Amino acid sequence: MSLRQHRDFRQLWAGDTLSQFGAAIGQFALPALAVTQLAATPFEVGALSAAETAAFLLVGLPAGVWVDRLRRRPLMLRADLGRFVLLATIPVAWWLHVLTIAQLIVVALLVGLLTVFFDVAYQSYLPSLVGREHIVEGNAKLQASQSAAFVSGPALAGVLVQAIGAATSVLATAFGFLSSALFLLRIRAVEPSPVRTERRGMRSEIAEGLRFVLHQPTLRAITFCTGTSNLFNSISGAAMLLFLIRQLGVDTGIAGLLMTAGGVGGVIGSLTATWWTRTFGQARTIWLSLVVLCPFVLLMPLAEPGWALSLFAVANLAFSAAAVIYNVAQVSYRQAICPDHLLGRMNASVRFLVWGTMPIGGLIGGGLATWLTPRGALWVGVIGEALAVLWVLASPLRTMRDLPTSQAV
């Protein structure tokens, strides 16, 4: 049976789609608000970028323990409602003329804390909702929604920012999380209670999840590849809007359209991910997608006003397509091989290691944009993104077609 006929998955899918649309708008609107209305310095933009992901360093590993101890859907509901309330404070503060860069950074940090718990619970909840035999299909559909949001999200955000202001546009992000919570409430399936095992203390349980990830050569290579890519992608991300708006003189509407190319690439990646894994094998897809598509990212810093702006769009499209194909293959593998009682800690360990590099990258990107100019920071970021594949090429994945599930012991 296709998951299109799975009622509860449809609720999860619909809620996630609206949430992703809101998040895509927010990822453009928040830095645009800082750059265009609050006169943020490059370092402050980098600090805002770092705050959005710093929570994975702060609570990433303990979050996995809690997710394994609690039912996942109620935890996701609380996270969605909390993010709605926090983001709603931004337009309120703007209307009252009291909004500051400090408030943006604090809200971004707190939203990030709730996102850690939501994301770890979310990846751990999917296998129990749809069954392990459907997780590749489920991940592909969810990635398609995320990519569709990123197709129209930045462009819509650019239009909204110009029409109603960046601060008011943040409301779209807040209502996206509220919508996600309402759809989660409609899921009828009773989530099984967590398996109660002897609790050995937070440190011991965290260590068990880290050992599962780091002691397997394939998982270790995937984790280090993703972490390296995220580090340099965050360096690029901290400089992108500064590069487009301040260095190239592009208005926010055009900048949004250029960022939309990443969403187009993501849709292409999600629609072709199953073809890649079926044609080349799941293991080979993980590195082949990066080898074929990631070098195009080197075109991004070559963008100039006029026709050469298209180089930014092409680079963004190719990198996003590679990221989605890669993620569908490696996330589905992780979910398939991990025992239920370790899913939360496994996902949290991976997220800690791969997302924990992002706030560091954001700070580095802000500093490099000040020291080298935004274009210089972009060069550092894209070169690192293109080379991240070396981790998996140097691992057993290079000689494998499919990933052996027999390692999951």
Side-chain angles (χ1 to χ4, degrees), residues 243 298-304 308 311 375 379:
F243 174 63
L298 297 172
L299 297 173
M300 187 174 289
L302 299 175
E304 296 285 355
L311 297 177
R375 191 192 302 272
W379 272 118

Side-chain angles (χ1 to χ4, degrees), residues 224-226 228-230 232 290 383-392:
F224 290 169
C225 173
T226 310
T228 301
S229 180
N230 284 351
F232 287 97
L290 302 181
I383 290 171
E385 290 166 28
L387 294 177
V389 69
L390 294 177
W391 285 109
V392 288

Side-chain angles (χ1 to χ4, degrees), residues 195-271:
V195 176
R196 295 192 176 274
T197 58
E198 181 183 354
R199 293 182 180 175
R200 301 178 304 281
M202 182 74 71
R203 185 175 299 176
S204 296
E205 294 191 45
I206 287 173
E208 186 178 5
L210 282 170
R211 281 196 301 270
F212 184 84
V213 172
L214 296 177
H215 285 190
Q216 297 190 49
T218 52
L219 278 182
R220 185 169 62 244
I222 288 167
T223 300
F224 290 169
C225 173
T226 310
T228 301
S229 180
N230 284 351
L231 171 68
F232 287 97
N233 185 252
S234 295
I235 292 174
S236 300
M240 277 185 185
L241 283 181
L242 291 167
F243 174 63
L244 292 173
I245 294 174
R246 291 189 181 172
Q247 193 161 359
L248 299 187
V250 172
D251 65 40
T252 56
I254 298 299
L257 287 174
L258 291 170
M259 300 290 281
T260 291
V264 175
V267 169
I268 293 171
S270 63
L271 293 177

Side-chain angles (χ1 to χ4, degrees), residues 37-91:
Q37 301 298 319
L38 298 180
T41 67
F43 185 77
E44 287 172 333
V45 175
L48 177 61
S49 175
E52 292 174 338
T53 50
F56 285 93
L57 280 176
L58 299 175
V59 299
L61 292 175
V65 176
W66 286 108
V67 167
D68 282 337
R69 291 178 178 180
L70 301 170
R71 282 192 172 92
R72 286 138 188 177
R73 187 166 69 104
L75 191 59
M76 293 157 63
L77 277 166
R78 295 186 187 103
D80 271 339
L81 293 173
R83 290 185 290 183
F84 164 70
V85 171
L86 285 166
L87 286 165
T89 67
I90 291 175

